[in-house]
Amino acid sequence: MEEITEISGNLEKVIYKNEENGFSVFSLKINSKESVTVQGYMPEVHQGEYVCLKGTWTFHKKFGRQFTAKECKAQPPTTTLGIKKYLSSGLIKGIGPKYASKIVDHFEEKTLEIIDANPNRLSEVEGIGKKRVELIIDAWEDQKEIAQVMVFLKSRDVPTSHAVKIFKTYGNQSIEKIQENPYRLVDDIWGIGFKTSDQIALNLGFEKNSLYRVQAGILYSINEATNNGHLYLELNNAQKNVIKILELEEAQAVDLIKKALRELYNQDKIKLIEHNEKHFITLPKFYFSEKGIASKIFKLNKTPSKTEQIFDISKVYNQIRVPDNSICLNEEQQKGILTCLQNKITIITGGPGTGKTTLTKKLLDVLEENKVSFKLAAPTGRAAKRMFESTHRNTSTLHRLLEFNPTIMGFNKNEQDALDLDFLVIDEASMIDVFLMHSVLKALPINAHLILLGDIDQLPSVGAGNILKDLINSEKITVVKLIEIFRQAQDSLIIVNAHKINKGEFPTTVSAKQRKDFFYKKIEEPEDIFPILHKIYSSTLQKYNISPKDTVVLTPMNKGIAGTQRINQELQMILNPGNDENKQIMRFGQYYKVGDRVMQIRNNYDKYVFNGDMGYIEDINKVDQIIKINFNDRCLEYDFAELNELVLAYSISIHKSQGSEFGAVIIPIFMQHFILLQRNLIYTAITRAKKLCILLGQTKAIAMGIKNNKTIKRNTFLKEFLTTDLEAK
């Protein structure tokens, strides 16, 4: 048995610290001549502190003798040198090495006492103004509160990396809120999952078979289903999920789950739908959103348009038949324009090169000539920018159009304050989830027209629901499908291959007619993509006059050798190799550097930046613990604690690329992606490329993906709500 030893000393230097789990490696000075290396899970230790440790001595093959700490008690430093190191460690926002030195030189051994009891005296120090004093006071108080939350979490075997996020959400009530209902963490704090909150609950004394715990498990299962696009969870699957998640004995769990379901139903926390002899459960907000969409569509179709008297359809038809500025519309496009004028809701769908943009521009010309008001919108900033570039008309995101209000966590535009327009044209409609579509329809005037543009063969929305497909399948909405590929589009192998893949055919790279903008490189081993990526970024892009900033690697998964995480590390070394310590910060095992391209991975309504938005890191301020990121000429400040909302974006998942276009797209496909390989995934990736598409990987994997046209069926009922009298019980 290992002998437990006690050592103590001053923490000289933090060698490594994992902010996510608190694992630290540091140098400890145990006397005037000797220092030792200490490792262990100690998130609350800081440079300059005097620490008392309990643990064991170990021997590391590479680093030699080390002390592995099992317990740690820290005391603030008392010497001026220790206090300087302590304040320089980044413990307190607003104090870096420069300010730490100035403050300690002024107050000497009484520095920490002054900061704690009389912090306004900090203004006596040259260079420290009123704003910085306020920043330091707030940070000092927060640090003390966060330390208490850390101790509370640590005593319950919970990762203390969550402490900052918990404190930012609940403030001084953090511990009280957790004790009252630990399951609230799942809904209130992004990044904290059910398992963490459940662990806290069990450690707080919640019974494993408690009704409260089972109810939380059911609600969690429903929410988890939405991550796969579902709005409803089949009851049998819900029961199996809860038993598995909560690790319950099946024999005892069935009655308990039934009782929990009854309680939730009676409290109106779930809705129940019976369809095709199966039972489904959902949250009320999911049900009412989908039901609300169907209800508004019925009203729109029943209400006449106020533009009916404006358009002379025969005259418009004669106008659009005549070529204009060398643009000649085919019959499908002509039909599309007339359909939009004659129907309250129209869906225009088609693949690349089939003329959706040309149709849209001509439609807008007709609306302008007849003085009919319209607005253009798209689900994301990148999609809105593309629409503006193609139509040369003002375009906004749907969130901006509907005037999102973070105070109410909703939109200002709704039934009471509708949009002022006659026509609303939305591009990339396949990206719209059920909640956004419901909000759009609530804000749409009852006599207005809605036009949805999209490619039904692309991936469905990242969010829950299957709006575009359900609307088309209901046959209650007029649909125009463009299928003819225009001659100029046929010159591109990218477009030709996109359509080949959509038909289930393997792409071609040999053509005498088309320009060579598509290449396939056969690679058998995933790790072999890295030298090829080096070559592409160092020479191939230059030949095509494409900037690395307009290039992306799209891959099916985030994990694995050919996943976004590993590829991002490699591309960061190629494109942004700088190692200036003041211009980089490590969080969650990843370096973030000035100049890096990053992507937001959750909606942040306070900052008005959304899941999938991309920007560049402009500055990193380690003293104030702020990182500045430019999103399309909007410079936003992120606290270091918010970095879990960002990932590097030299490589992104194919799902996250929806609505985007890049000059060059590189797509690695391997058998390790097997679980996600399907035709619409590869098709979506290829259609993101404007000038160059490079497909890398195993022929077998690519062929398997192209052959697999079976998409995962999402549990939605919009089609049924539009075609039957189905209702929740």
Side-chain angles (χ1 to χ4, degrees):
M1 188 174 176
E2 295 175 324
E3 184 182 348
I4 300 297
T5 308
E6 292 187 21
I7 64 170
S8 58
N10 288 300
L11 200 159
E12 273 189 309
K13 182 182 179 182
V14 176
I15 300 168
Y16 171 80
K17 188 171 185 179
N18 185 319
E19 298 292 338
E20 194 167 5
N21 60 20
F23 181 78
S24 304
V25 180
F26 56 84
S27 172
L28 185 75
K29 196 169 186 65
I30 56 177
N31 56 50
S32 60
K33 294 181 180 180
E34 187 180 2
S35 295
V36 298
T37 301
V38 177
Q39 65 169 354
Y41 291 89
M42 298 165 286
E44 64 276 19
V45 296
H46 300 278
Q47 195 167 301
E49 286 181 321
Y50 186 84
V51 294
C52 299
L53 305 166
K54 286 184 180 180
T56 58
W57 289 102
T58 56
F59 190 85
H60 192 282
K61 287 182 181 179
K62 185 176 179 181
F63 301 110
R65 188 168 177 258
Q66 293 183 341
F67 189 82
T68 300
K70 308 291 185 185
E71 292 181 26
C72 174
K73 289 183 180 178
Q75 299 172 357
T78 54
T79 65
T80 55
L81 181 61
I83 295 170
K84 279 185 182 180
K85 286 184 177 182
Y86 184 64
L87 295 180
S88 299
S89 67
L91 169 72
I92 303 170
K93 188 186 294 188
I95 301 181
K98 185 178 76 171
Y99 287 117
S101 185
K102 284 186 174 185
I103 293 169
V104 177
D105 286 345
H106 187 83
F107 295 114
E108 297 179 331
E109 287 88 352
K110 293 185 177 181
T111 296
L112 298 182
E113 182 185 328
I114 295 292
I115 293 174
D116 192 47
N118 196 4
N120 287 314
R121 285 193 60 192
L122 289 169
S123 58
E124 298 173 15
V125 180
E126 185 183 352
I128 296 184
K130 185 179 177 182
K131 276 191 175 180
R132 188 159 296 276
V133 170
E134 290 173 356
L135 179 66
I136 293 169
I137 291 172
D138 290 342
W140 180 259
E141 290 303 315
D142 287 354
Q143 174 261 330
K144 288 196 292 185
E145 294 289 343
I146 291 168
Q148 288 183 31
V149 178
M150 278 185 169
V151 171
F152 175 81
L153 293 175
K154 188 176 180 182
S155 67
R156 284 150 184 86
D157 299 322
V158 176
T160 52
S161 57
H162 298 316
V164 175
K165 287 186 283 186
I166 291 171
F167 179 74
K168 285 190 72 155
T169 304
Y170 302 135
N172 295 336
Q173 294 181 299
S174 294
I175 294 174
E176 179 187 334
K177 294 272 189 186
I178 295 170
Q179 289 175 322
E180 180 186 297
N181 178 11
Y183 294 107
R184 73 192 308 159
L185 295 170
V186 181
D187 295 324
D188 293 349
I189 302 172
W190 185 81
I192 294 184
F194 180 82
K195 286 186 178 179
T196 298
S197 61
D198 191 45
Q199 183 181 350
I200 295 172
L202 292 172
N203 287 332
L204 283 171
F206 282 75
E207 291 293 330
K208 192 173 182 181
N209 292 335
S210 75
L211 191 64
Y212 195 78
R213 182 172 182 253
V214 176
Q215 288 176 345
I218 292 168
L219 297 177
Y220 170 71
S221 293
I222 296 172
N223 277 307
E224 272 294 281
T226 65
N227 292 335
N228 294 317
H230 302 296
L231 287 170
Y232 305 85
L233 185 59
E234 194 179 342
L235 193 55
N236 288 337
N237 290 334
Q239 291 175 333
K240 290 175 186 176
N241 289 348
V242 172
I243 290 170
K244 184 179 178 181
I245 291 165
L246 301 184
E247 298 178 349
L248 300 173
E249 291 293 332
E250 190 169 349
Q252 300 173 345
V254 175
D255 289 339
L256 189 59
I257 292 172
K258 285 181 180 178
K259 186 177 180 182
L261 285 166
R262 279 196 300 271
E263 288 284 329
L264 290 171
Y265 181 79
N266 292 334
Q267 295 167 21
D268 203 26
K269 290 184 178 179
I270 60 171
K271 291 287 183 182
L272 177 67
I273 283 186
E274 186 178 348
H275 181 65
N276 289 342
E277 299 182 354
K278 291 182 179 179
H279 291 85
F280 297 84
I281 57 172
T282 188
L283 303 185
K285 62 180 179 181
F286 299 164
Y287 169 74
F288 286 119
S289 291
E290 217 177 29
K291 194 71 174 172
I293 291 170
S295 176
K296 184 62 179 277
I297 287 173
F298 286 135
K299 290 178 184 176
L300 281 166
N301 283 332
K302 286 179 182 176
T303 309
S305 162
K306 71 178 184 180
T307 62
E308 282 187 352
Q309 308 304 317
I310 296 175
F311 296 110
D312 182 334
I313 296 298
S314 297
K315 183 180 176 182
V316 172
Y317 177 56
N318 289 327
Q319 285 178 334
I320 63 178
R321 288 177 65 195
V322 179
D324 180 23
N325 295 328
S326 73
I327 295 176
C328 182
L329 301 179
N330 63 23
E331 288 187 14
E332 291 170 348
Q333 292 171 308
Q334 294 170 26
K335 176 188 173 185
I337 291 173
L338 297 178
T339 300
C340 292
L341 301 180
Q342 292 174 304
N343 292 272
K344 294 291 292 300
I345 309 174
T346 306
I347 294 173
I348 307 288
T349 182
T354 56
K356 291 195 301 294
T357 298
T358 304
L359 182 157
T360 305
K361 287 164 70 175
K362 192 64 180 176
L363 171 65
L364 299 181
D365 288 341
V366 171
L367 296 180
E368 287 174 339
E369 287 168 13
N370 289 275
K371 296 182 172 53
V372 174
S373 65
F374 63 84
K375 283 188 168 63
L376 309 180
T380 67
R382 284 176 287 159
K385 185 179 179 183
R386 283 180 59 199
M387 196 179 192
F388 166 74
E389 290 169 348
S390 63
T391 63
H392 306 293
R393 268 92 165 185
N394 288 335
T395 307
S396 67
T397 63
L398 287 171
H399 280 81
R400 194 170 293 280
L401 176 73
L402 300 177
E403 298 178 10
F404 184 81
N405 184 342
T407 306
I408 61 172
M409 288 303 287
F411 297 99
N412 289 333
K413 292 296 180 183
N414 49 38
E415 300 96 331
Q416 287 74 42
D417 183 13
L419 295 165
D420 183 15
L421 48 77
D422 297 318
F423 276 70
L424 175 58
V425 185
I426 302 177
D427 199 10
E428 297 289 354
S430 61
M431 298 178 67
I432 303 176
D433 64 25
V434 66
F435 308 111
L436 192 52
M437 178 57 88
H438 188 215
S439 298
V440 167
L441 289 174
K442 283 198 294 183
L444 192 70
I446 197 65
N447 49 19
H449 289 239
L450 175 65
I451 299 162
L452 301 173
L453 305 168
D455 187 344
I456 193 60
D457 295 314
Q458 287 186 25
L459 290 167
S461 60
V462 174
N466 207 358
I467 297 299
L468 196 62
K469 193 169 185 179
D470 286 347
L471 291 177
I472 292 173
N473 289 343
S474 75
E475 298 182 356
K476 295 293 182 181
I477 308 295
T478 306
V479 180
V480 176
K481 183 156 188 178
L482 305 178
I483 55 175
E484 181 185 340
I485 307 174
F486 279 79
R487 182 175 51 78
Q488 59 268 36
Q490 292 175 10
D491 292 339
S492 168
L493 270 175
I494 293 173
I495 291 176
V496 168
N497 281 326
H499 286 276
K500 282 176 74 71
I501 287 168
N502 214 14
K503 294 174 185 175
E505 301 171 13
F506 201 88
T508 181
T509 57
V510 180
S511 175
K513 296 179 181 179
Q514 287 92 2
R515 61 181 181 271
K516 292 186 177 180
D517 56 7
F518 183 98
F519 296 93
Y520 167 53
K521 175 73 173 174
K522 183 178 178 181
I523 303 173
E524 290 302 329
E525 299 300 330
E527 54 266 28
D528 291 341
I529 67 169
F530 298 113
I532 293 171
L533 288 176
H534 276 261
K535 184 178 179 182
I536 291 170
Y537 278 90
S538 63
S539 61
T540 307
L541 293 178
Q542 295 169 11
K543 292 176 185 176
Y544 282 81
N545 197 28
I546 299 173
S547 166
K549 286 192 172 184
D550 197 20
T551 302
V552 71
V553 178
L554 299 181
T555 179
M557 301 175 77
N558 292 321
K559 295 182 179 179
I561 297 173
T564 61
Q565 295 169 358
R566 175 68 182 85
I567 293 172
N568 269 318
Q569 289 180 337
E570 190 74 19
L571 292 181
Q572 186 187 54
M573 288 190 288
I574 297 171
L575 301 172
N576 194 18
N579 54 11
D580 184 346
E581 283 194 13
N582 293 318
K583 298 298 179 184
Q584 63 184 21
I585 182 76
M586 178 182 262
R587 282 295 184 275
F588 315 111
Q590 175 62 60
Y591 278 107
Y592 294 88
K593 304 178 183 181
V594 171
D596 277 337
R597 183 166 73 198
V598 293
M599 181 174 67
Q600 180 80 13
I601 57 172
R602 69 170 292 236
N603 291 341
N604 187 318
Y605 298 107
D606 293 326
K607 290 182 168 60
Y608 212 85
V609 58
F610 302 99
N611 189 353
D613 286 352
M614 292 201 289
Y616 285 87
I617 297 177
E618 282 194 347
D619 187 42
I620 294 173
N621 185 328
K622 287 191 170 182
V623 175
D624 294 342
Q625 298 179 20
I626 293 294
I627 185 168
K628 291 183 179 178
I629 301 172
N630 190 316
F631 289 96
N632 291 322
D633 298 324
R634 288 176 62 230
C635 193
L636 303 177
E637 289 190 350
Y638 282 70
D639 189 276
F640 282 1
E642 297 175 303
L643 282 176
N644 65 331
E645 295 184 12
L646 299 166
V647 293
L648 292 180
Y650 300 109
S651 173
I652 63 176
S653 71
I654 296 170
H655 284 82
K656 293 285 189 183
S657 73
Q658 290 173 261
S660 303
E661 264 191 351
F662 300 88
V665 167
I666 304 157
I667 310 164
I669 301 288
F670 293 93
M671 289 303 295
Q672 65 175 229
H673 303 134
F674 171 78
I675 194 169
L676 293 174
L677 292 181
Q678 55 192 42
R679 186 182 301 172
N680 61 358
L681 184 89
I682 299 174
Y683 172 77
T684 299
I686 288 173
T687 55
R688 303 307 92 203
K690 286 189 293 185
K691 299 177 182 177
L692 178 64
C693 181
I694 301 174
L695 186 61
L696 307 172
Q698 296 162 332
T699 306
K700 179 182 177 182
I702 296 166
M704 183 181 291
I706 293 170
K707 186 179 179 181
N708 179 17
N709 199 29
K710 295 178 182 177
T711 56
I712 298 170
K713 186 183 182 304
R714 296 185 169 192
N715 292 333
T716 63
F717 287 115
L718 179 56
K719 175 189 170 185
E720 286 73 19
F721 292 152
L722 287 167
T723 56
T724 71
D725 58 357
L726 181 68
E727 288 193 5
K729 293 182 179 180

